[in-house]
Amino acid sequence: MKFSQFNLDRKLVNYLSNLGYNNLSKIQEISLSTVLSNTSCLIKAPTGSGKTLCYLIPILNDLDLNKLTQCVIIVPTSLLAEQLNNILKDFKGYKEFKVDVLIDGSSLKSSFDSQIVIATPSQFLFNYSKLNLKDLTRLVIDEGDMIIFDGFENQLAEILSLQLKGSKFFFTASVDEHLNTFVRKYISASKIISLDEKSITSNNVTHYFVDIKYRNKIEALILFIKLLNPYKCLVFVSKKDELKAVDDALNRAKIEHLSLYGELPKREQARILKEFSNSKYHILLGTDLIARGFDVNDISDVISIDLPYDLTYYFHRAGRTARFDKKGNSYVFYNDDNISKARELNSKGLNFHFLTLKEDQIKKERELSDKAYRPKINNMLLEAEIKKNISKVRSNKVKPGYKKKIKRVIERTKAKHKQDIIKKNLEKRNQMEGTNFTYFNESSYSKSKKKQSKKN
């Protein structure tokens, strides 16, 4: 289906074609008529299915340059607000409309004659008294589920209680019972449009669990990137305070990448997004800040080095790839530390595939690895070593101090076993990072200190 089949301004249809928008996505096919008719509705579709154009095209088509603000678009993050503004800039050749972007740390600086306002919930409420909304025809809530999940439900409820003129459109990737109740309470939506997908991510995403075995997350990421060699990749870290450690490790491993986080100045964020979008860099590291509404068309792979506290965020992470009918992959690292959470996500019906990270390959597996099988193997090896060492000091006659001697043998064996494991892990990390660490052996250090003191 093509845009020319709808009752749209011919100039807009031609402009869309010049920008590469020719054929409609499925959600655009079934929702565009409703939004064009300005009928309030809830629209549910997976991330990456093209929901943004579902409301931007009707807004642009109906925009009257002789009137004030005709549309307000509420989004969850400043990053999404700026990205939406950049999309609208592509249409300035169609109409010379004005846009106000109200985000954290900003204030309204225009002459209050913009036709479109994009805002986060808090900034819209902060600037509400300055806006002239007498010509408002549409209020759009984009990424509505994430606005609520992120803790802005009360602010969104306050916005919807302002009795603003115009129709209301609620766009979301998921609808749980709570969100459904919220929408029924605040939005008189006569129509609900849904693709009825089981998942809130595209069916074109292939989901993988990756058993990283004994490695820590950062070591595993470096090895995985080197083996995978992704075309364009997002790497997600759940905790902001871990982002710097991952960033430093990637730099030491000489893996070119960009890092994006909320504390960066807005200009720096814009530069990073531009360089990643233009493929100047092929790896972007960030937190769940970039899991919401981050639109780069050709992301091939998404890597989650850990799972978010709220598993709902995983679906939005995975939704950054396989956008607009393209295919993509989403990889989730796991080991014994987070096996229970991995099992919980595996029960969500996403049809995960299973991999194991080896030193020289990414190996396919049949199922999720069993919990704590590695410590059992280590314990078996330790027990065998203890028996072997005890047999060396055991005799037929019980001599004085025998029990103490056996106890010392066991303690020394355990200490050596632990040191051997640490040494082995350090050597493997050194091989991956190309660095040389000196292994610190506490018993050897103590012996050398004793010898030195005797000499003195």
Side-chain angles (χ1 to χ4, degrees), residues 52-81:
T52 304
L53 284 185
C54 291
Y55 63 80
L56 284 188
I57 289 174
I59 288 170
L60 293 168
N61 187 74
D62 299 342
L63 218 55
D64 186 342
L65 301 183
N66 295 315
K67 293 182 178 180
L68 297 175
T69 301
Q70 295 149 63
C71 179
V72 170
I73 305 170
I74 304 296
V75 295
T77 65
S78 299
L79 182 64
L80 181 54

Side-chain angles (χ1 to χ4, degrees), residues 323-357:
R323 302 181 72 79
F324 310 108
D325 295 329
K326 294 182 180 179
K327 295 187 181 299
N329 306 300
S330 176
Y331 301 93
V332 180
F333 289 0
Y334 81 99
N335 56 18
D336 293 340
D337 294 336
N338 64 345
I339 184 70
S340 59
K341 205 160 192 178
R343 284 193 178 126
E344 184 183 350
L345 180 59
N346 191 39
S347 68
K348 302 291 184 182
L350 285 178
N351 189 28
F352 272 92
H353 301 265
F354 307 103
L355 305 169
T356 296
L357 182 60

